[in-house]
Amino acid sequence: WTNTGLITANDDWSGVPGLQGFRGDGLTGATGTDPQTLLDGDDAAPVLDVNANQTNPDTFSTGGVTEFEIANAAVALAGSGTADAPYLRFYLDTTGAANVSVAYNLRDLDGSADDAIQQVALHYRVGSTGSFTNVPAAYVADATTGPSQATLVTPVCAVLPAEADNQPLVQVRVMTTNAAGNDEWVAIDDLVVSTAPCGGGNPMLSIGDVSLSEGDAGFADFTFTISVTGTPAGTVTFDATVNDGT
């Protein structure tokens, strides 16, 4: 999502090949619904959705799918009374491929006083019609912390069942639901679809954002949460540098 020119207008995904966002209207009428149970295809009247060019996850309260042009740009989901089960849906051609893994980072973007239980699930189906199937290994019971925190990054990686191998079209969607209370924004970032196994290959590091007033005297501690996925056997090491004035 670093190229913020891909999405420039509300509800327009034409610049993003192979991926769309939907509000999920009517998939459930209750709050706090487990998204693992919402497997309807949403094909009768799907509502294409993206709130484009937003800049502040702490104050933007229109639920659904939103592009946030922030320091680490992202597209995020939050439920609402209208957006009952917002989701990102992407379209895969797995012809010639087996053991297809789907990996992404769930990033808590909401540093406001809101503190919801924001569940996230992964579904797939072969073809463009019919019900989806839940992928239990990808379920996250709460992808946010709070109140007034927006640093949690939750790595997710799951291998799709063999049914998804060698298919001209596999649809995959990442979904949250309207939580009890005020929903928080969860970004789906660093998306990787490959035939590399989960837990193998090169490690992928992500660093959570931190915001804190430094004050005028003494020291202020900034704690950065570092998450890793795809960890190989052995130790993962990394280097960090600091640039003043940035």
Side-chain angles (χ1 to χ4, degrees):
W1 306 115
T2 52
N3 181 1
T4 56
L6 297 179
I7 298 174
T8 58
N10 289 346
D11 306 332
D12 184 358
W13 289 88
S14 60
V16 187
L19 197 152
Q20 294 176 313
F22 295 86
R23 279 201 323 228
D25 294 14
L27 287 178
T28 178
T31 59
T33 304
D34 184 345
Q36 296 181 103
T37 67
L38 301 180
L39 303 177
D40 183 85
D42 194 27
D43 299 319
V47 179
L48 195 67
D49 186 47
V50 64
N51 303 300
N53 310 326
Q54 297 300 313
T55 59
N56 193 339
D58 294 351
T59 59
F60 186 72
S61 59
T62 300
V65 186
T66 297
E67 178 213 21
F68 287 107
E69 297 186 356
I70 52 181
N72 184 0
V75 165
L77 308 176
S80 70
T82 300
D84 293 308
Y87 60 90
L88 288 183
R89 182 167 70 191
F90 37 102
Y91 308 87
L92 309 179
D93 180 351
T94 67
T95 302
N99 300 315
V100 177
S101 64
V102 179
Y104 46 87
N105 284 326
L106 299 176
R107 293 172 47 208
D108 181 356
L109 299 187
D110 197 324
S112 72
D114 295 339
D115 185 16
I117 297 175
Q118 213 69 57
Q119 305 176 73
V120 183
L122 176 70
H123 309 150
Y124 81 96
R125 70 179 176 185
V126 176
S128 59
T129 59
S131 298
F132 281 78
T133 298
N134 181 57
V135 182
Y139 174 66
V140 176
D142 189 2
T144 61
T145 53
S148 305
Q149 295 179 346
T151 60
L152 181 65
V153 179
T154 306
V156 175
C157 185
V159 178
L160 299 181
E163 181 189 17
D165 296 346
N166 195 34
Q167 298 291 334
L169 176 62
V170 176
Q171 294 187 356
V172 177
R173 68 185 184 187
V174 181
M175 175 186 290
T176 191
T177 51
N178 183 21
N182 295 326
D183 288 58
E184 297 183 79
W185 289 107
V186 179
I188 292 83
D189 206 2
D190 308 315
L191 176 65
V192 177
V193 179
S194 73
T195 54
C198 294
N202 294 325
M204 183 167 63
L205 293 175
S206 60
I207 304 176
D209 293 334
V210 174
S211 178
L212 181 70
S213 175
E214 293 182 271
D216 298 321
F219 295 92
D221 292 331
F222 289 75
T223 301
F224 294 85
T225 300
I226 300 175
S227 303
V228 62
T229 187
T231 312
T235 301
V236 174
T237 62
F238 60 93
D239 296 321
T241 60
V242 176
N243 294 323
D244 291 342
T246 62

